Amino acid sequence: MSQGQEPPKKRFPLTLDLVTGTADRKRSSAAPRLNSLQTATRNAAKHAPESKVVASPTASARPLNTPAVTKLAPTVIQPRSTNSPLVSDAVRKAMIQRLAQQGIKDAKVLAAMEAVPRHMFIEPGLASQAYIDASLPIGYHQTISQPYIVARMIEVLRDGIEGKMSRVLEIGTGCGYQAAVLAQVAEQVYSIERIRPLHEQARNNLRSLLIPNLRLHYGDGMLGLPQVGSFDGIILAAAGMEVPQALLDQMAIGGRLAAPVGTKNQELRLIRRVRRNEWTTETLERCHFVPLRPGTFG
Ligand code: SAH
């Protein structure tokens, strides 16, 4: 969905058209729209009380506050049983088909998106919308990112590699959805959230999924996790004016980082660390995320 456009009005129960995006496709043949570049978090940005985006990440540097480290116990992903057809496997499969139509090619990413029950990360009142291609509010003026951008960022991070990435860091856990998807394609995933109640909400959402290779941290993600070492992939789920140097420094040589950059007009960037002191940057597409903010809250 493009920036500034209102999402289509939904009637309940949703038709499969709306869930699969075919309604959008039908509409677009009648009335041309901008390319589907919007990504995450317009709703939240609109209502966010703090409007300042940090221009200099290093200016806010302070010791990482990481008292709450949650290790989740092992098992496979097992969605809670539900009677609603809207949260069934079929609806999730329809989302996967739509992602493929939107250009997501990496089979491992599509499989990861299919494995994670997105409706379990959304409050019950909105769960019927879990598989539409939109960001949704998760509280504290934040949102769960739209499925397309979650898949897209992970795809560019993976760069088509055969196996799993080894160590990945996510900045902005939110409700924990993207972290759960990442955990399907990486050996170890670390995710940092600066808003304590959201960190706790993510921990609760993830508890029953029992994902052994995911660690949640409460703290300022702009500082990264220097105590963990270097990461072969880093994803930012919130947009700053630039990518914090601390995160660039925590990339492994050959590692990749995907991040939205900007305020109103944001772009998705892919940064590669080619040598110890050399990074390359590629601009991929327009996007819209909530702001990256320094420090912690709550
Ligand atoms: N990954 C989420 C998206 C969450 S929205 C998903 O699965 O959909 C982005 C999140 O980034 C918000 O929860 C916000 O609080 C968080 N955030 C913003 N700045 C941050 C920072 N400096 N450190 C950690 N989290 C941050």
Side-chain angles (χ1 to χ4, degrees):
M1 194 180 308
S2 304
Q3 201 175 339
Q5 279 186 313
E6 283 306 315
K9 289 263 180 306
K10 306 287 184 316
R11 281 223 182 81
F12 295 93
L14 297 177
T15 63
L16 195 60
D17 265 5
L18 281 171
V19 176
T20 59
T22 48
D24 274 355
R25 286 199 302 282
K26 282 178 199 155
R27 218 189 344 271
S28 66
S29 58
R33 300 148 48 114
L34 288 174
N35 282 341
S36 175
L37 298 179
Q38 188 269 350
T39 53
T41 51
R42 184 166 48 83
N43 298 345
K46 206 159 61 185
H47 301 296
E50 306 164 65
S51 58
K52 230 172 68 196
V53 172
V54 176
S56 167
T58 46
S60 65
R62 64 187 188 77
L64 186 66
N65 186 358
T66 54
V69 178
T70 307
K71 187 177 175 187
L72 298 151
T75 197
V76 288
I77 290 202
Q78 205 52 264
R80 274 193 290 253
S81 68
T82 170
N83 294 328
S84 169
L86 290 171
V87 292
S88 70
D89 288 355
V91 180
R92 197 150 60 245
K93 281 202 168 72
M95 178 184 82
I96 303 308
Q97 276 174 11
R98 189 186 58 223
L99 289 172
Q101 284 159 4
Q102 288 170 309
I104 306 299
K105 295 188 183 65
D106 187 330
K108 290 213 164 65
V109 174
L110 293 171
M113 297 288 290
E114 191 170 345
V116 179
R118 185 172 159 90
H119 61 278
M120 289 180 62
F121 294 83
I122 292 169
E123 61 166 280
L126 292 173
S128 64
Q129 299 180 51
Y131 296 98
I132 65 172
D133 198 31
S135 58
L136 296 168
I138 54 171
Y140 302 89
H141 308 289
Q142 308 302 321
T143 55
I144 179 172
S145 301
Q146 151 192 34
Y148 165 74
I149 198 67
V150 171
R152 176 77 174 128
M153 287 178 103
I154 300 176
E155 181 172 70
V156 300
L157 209 63
R158 271 184 37 80
D159 195 24
I161 58 167
E162 276 290 307
K164 291 193 168 186
M165 288 180 285
S166 54
R167 199 187 285 149
V168 171
L169 174 66
E170 178 193 39
I171 311 304
T173 315
C175 61
Y177 173 69
Q178 183 162 35
V181 179
L182 278 169
Q184 311 304 303
V185 299
E187 305 284 358
Q188 296 168 46
V189 177
Y190 297 80
S191 182
I192 314 176
E193 174 55 55
R194 67 179 285 274
I195 299 178
R196 190 190 278 277
L198 283 180
H199 163 76
E200 282 160 9
Q201 191 177 303
R203 197 172 49 191
N204 288 336
N205 290 340
L206 289 159
R207 186 169 287 124
S208 64
L209 298 178
L210 303 165
I211 302 173
N213 56 332
L214 172 56
R215 308 271 188 290
L216 301 184
H217 290 251
Y218 164 62
D220 180 357
M222 289 167 73
L223 307 176
L225 286 177
Q227 69 273 32
V228 170
S230 61
F231 297 90
D232 57 340
I234 300 181
I235 279 191
L236 280 80
M241 287 300 290
E242 57 189 286
V243 176
Q245 185 63 42
L247 298 180
L248 297 175
D249 290 340
Q250 287 168 42
M251 293 169 70
I253 313 288
R256 297 157 76 87
L257 178 150
V261 175
T263 49
K264 274 203 153 161
N265 295 315
Q266 298 173 9
E267 54 191 34
L268 180 60
R269 291 202 191 146
L270 173 63
I271 298 176
R272 296 178 180 86
R273 187 171 194 177
V274 287
R275 272 185 265 284
R276 189 170 151 66
N277 286 315
E278 192 181 338
W279 292 261
T280 62
T281 301
E282 193 182 330
T283 297
L284 301 177
E285 59 199 61
R286 274 172 41 206
C287 58
H288 196 105
F289 282 79
V290 289
L292 184 68
R293 295 203 161 108
T296 53
F297 171 87

